[in-house]
Amino acid sequence: MTVAAVLALGGCGRDAPQPKAERKQAEPEPQTVDVPQTVTAIAPGTTPMAERVAVVGLLNKRNGISRDLTLRPGQAVRAGDVIVRLRACETAAPWEIQKLTGAFVQVDVRNPQGQLQRVFSGWLYKEAPSLNVVEHPIYDVWPKSCAMTHPEAGESTVREGSDASNRSSAPNSAPRRPRSPARTAPDEGESAADNNAT
């Protein structure tokens, strides 16, 4: 009887079965959405976006295979489980101080469920790769070049040796000489008063 009493008392302290936690609804998988180009006006002499040509490098880190993809903005290339899409490319104008070659790329990779997932969307820079990187365990993407032209000079740019920069009648066009330190002794033909006035 004591064994049955111990078992009965042990059962009294048990917690009632907990209701199962509500299951969260699965989030929908990201979908690739194409955004049309919105640039409508560019400076005269600049290559229109649709006529630029970029070379983008693609590396598969698993097998070490690297390839160059030649794309125009709006085009995409599929290589196995990855799709690389070029949205835009740009090179710095000749008169810019910082020379950069950039490409706006979007990278979609097939996930284990067989669906494409966007893993990167943004600008990548050839000369400054650390500004933005594609963080993916298998694929690496980087810009190599962007073929485009710029006008000969930007707004308010004066070329060295041009007529505008050699005009002597332009006000304040001559560089100013630095002031010399005060002289201790007057030059010939100068009085001490003239020297102190300077």
Side-chain angles (χ1 to χ4, degrees):
M1 227 203 263
T2 53
V3 173
V6 170
L7 288 176
L9 288 175
C12 292
R14 285 189 185 164
D15 295 333
Q18 296 291 328
K20 291 184 179 179
E22 294 180 18
R23 292 184 179 178
K24 293 182 180 178
Q25 292 181 350
E27 294 183 20
E29 288 292 322
Q31 296 179 349
T32 302
V33 177
D34 290 333
V35 179
Q37 296 289 344
T38 57
V39 176
T40 56
I42 57 173
T46 303
T47 305
M49 189 63 69
E51 296 176 17
R52 300 177 189 184
V53 178
V55 177
V56 177
L58 171 65
L59 171 66
N60 185 324
K61 299 175 194 174
R62 285 189 176 163
N63 58 23
I65 295 175
S66 176
R67 58 183 78 185
D68 291 345
L69 310 175
T70 303
L71 300 163
R72 291 184 184 273
Q75 291 182 329
V77 171
R78 182 177 190 159
D81 289 337
V82 64
I83 296 175
V84 178
R85 179 175 285 107
L86 179 70
R87 286 292 175 205
C89 78
E90 186 85 27
T91 57
W95 58 86
E96 296 289 339
I97 296 172
Q98 189 174 16
K99 305 297 182 197
L100 288 176
T101 300
F104 190 96
V105 297
Q106 294 173 326
V107 181
D108 299 321
V109 178
R110 187 174 304 282
N111 62 20
Q113 292 78 29
Q115 297 174 333
L116 288 173
Q117 183 176 4
R118 174 90 18 108
V119 297
F120 180 82
S121 181
W123 282 95
L124 298 171
Y125 298 96
K126 175 183 174 183
E127 296 82 1
S130 62
L131 288 178
N132 211 2
V133 294
V134 176
E135 294 181 11
H136 191 268
I138 302 171
Y139 297 104
D140 192 10
V141 178
W142 67 97
K144 296 181 118 183
S145 67
C146 177
M148 64 172 290
T149 59
H150 290 279
E152 290 185 18
E155 293 180 20
S156 72
T157 301
V158 178
R159 287 189 218 137
E160 187 176 0
S162 68
D163 291 324
S165 64
N166 290 332
R167 290 184 190 147
S168 60
S169 61
N172 299 326
S173 62
R176 295 183 180 223
R177 293 183 185 173
R179 295 186 73 187
S180 60
R183 293 175 287 188
T184 56
D187 289 340
E188 290 184 80
E190 277 187 321
S191 67
D194 291 337
N195 190 25
N196 290 335
T198 58

